Each structure stands twice: as C-alpha cells, then as structure tokens.
Amino acid sequence: QARPVESGGGSVQTGGSLRVSCDVAEYSKSDYCMGWFFQPVGKERESVASFCRGDNMEYANSVVGRFTISRDNAKNTLYLQMNRLNPQDTAMYYCAAQPGLILQWLRLRRDAYTYWGQGTQVTVSS
C-alpha cells in the first residue's frame, strides 16, 4: 500500500493555529486506524492523536483541548487542527496508517502502525 502523504505544515507564533493534512484515499475502503505523531529534533517520535473507523479518537494528554483530529470522507483527508500552539509543539509531524483495527489501548503506540508518511514541519516561535 502507498504511504500516507502529509501537507500543511509551516511556521506560526506562540498561541497561533495550524492545520496539517494527510491524504488517506488508500485507506478509505477498509477498516483502518490513522494516527498523527510528532518528533522534535533529537527526540523520539511521540503520539499526538489517532482516528479509527467509527469516529473513535484518542489524544495524547499534552494536546487535549488544543488539538483536534478529524476526517473528511468526501476529500479522503485526515486533519490535525492545532490551536494554542507553543514552542514545545515544534516538530516534524507524521501521519501513520494501519489497515485493520487497533485495540484501543494500543492506538497511541508508534509500533502499532505500519505505513508512515515523510512528515511535515511545524515550527512555533516565541
């Protein structure tokens, strides 16, 4: 299967908002889970949010109330709306896909996903 393709990163000041997108057409015809992860320079890749078919969403504690994961089925696109950004959110953001369902307590684990995009950079300045 094809890799997910991210877009929409950029630069913003503290307190601002950005939305990143992921093309999910490849994963629209079967049960799937999709996830957003971020990786600051020199650090490990960490989970942000997951979206599994049936509108099941999970969030990392650090983004609850600030970030929202959603999917536009008509556009076959997965979104991550990021509000109230701060410099600690600066990172490469990756979209990941796993055909089939992932057990709920595993959906924020990096190793639960097989297919990864190339990432899109988000930079938040103070």
Side-chain angles (χ1 to χ4, degrees):
Q1 278 172 289
R3 285 173 170 261
V5 179
E6 305 95 337
S7 61
S11 298
V12 67
Q13 291 189 325
T14 296
S17 298
L18 279 175
R19 188 178 73 171
V20 291
S21 305
C22 178
D23 182 351
V24 297
E26 185 76 16
Y27 305 96
S28 64
K29 298 181 180 179
S30 61
D31 289 334
Y32 62 89
C33 280
M34 304 292 296
W36 283 105
F37 290 76
F38 82 120
Q39 187 169 16
V41 173
K43 297 185 178 181
E44 291 191 357
R45 195 169 299 185
E46 298 180 4
S47 64
V48 177
S50 70
F51 185 105
C52 293
R53 195 173 186 181
D55 295 339
N56 294 303
M57 294 165 280
E58 307 288 335
Y59 292 95
N61 289 337
S62 61
V63 305
V64 170
R66 298 192 300 128
F67 291 9
T68 303
I69 190 171
S70 63
R71 176 184 168 106
D72 184 329
N73 290 323
K75 297 181 179 179
N76 286 321
T77 303
L78 183 76
Y79 298 106
L80 182 68
Q81 176 67 43
M82 302 180 289
N83 298 326
R84 292 166 26 216
L85 286 159
N86 60 65
Q88 288 70 42
D89 298 316
T90 295
M92 188 73 81
Y93 282 73
Y94 296 92
C95 180
Q98 179 61 31
L101 293 177
I102 303 173
L103 295 173
Q104 183 179 9
W105 57 89
L106 297 175
R107 289 173 188 167
L108 295 179
R109 288 177 60 97
R110 185 176 58 192
D111 58 4
Y113 296 85
T114 302
Y115 301 97
W116 292 84
Q118 298 282 0
T120 185
Q121 178 68 35
V122 170
T123 302
V124 185
S125 59
S126 57

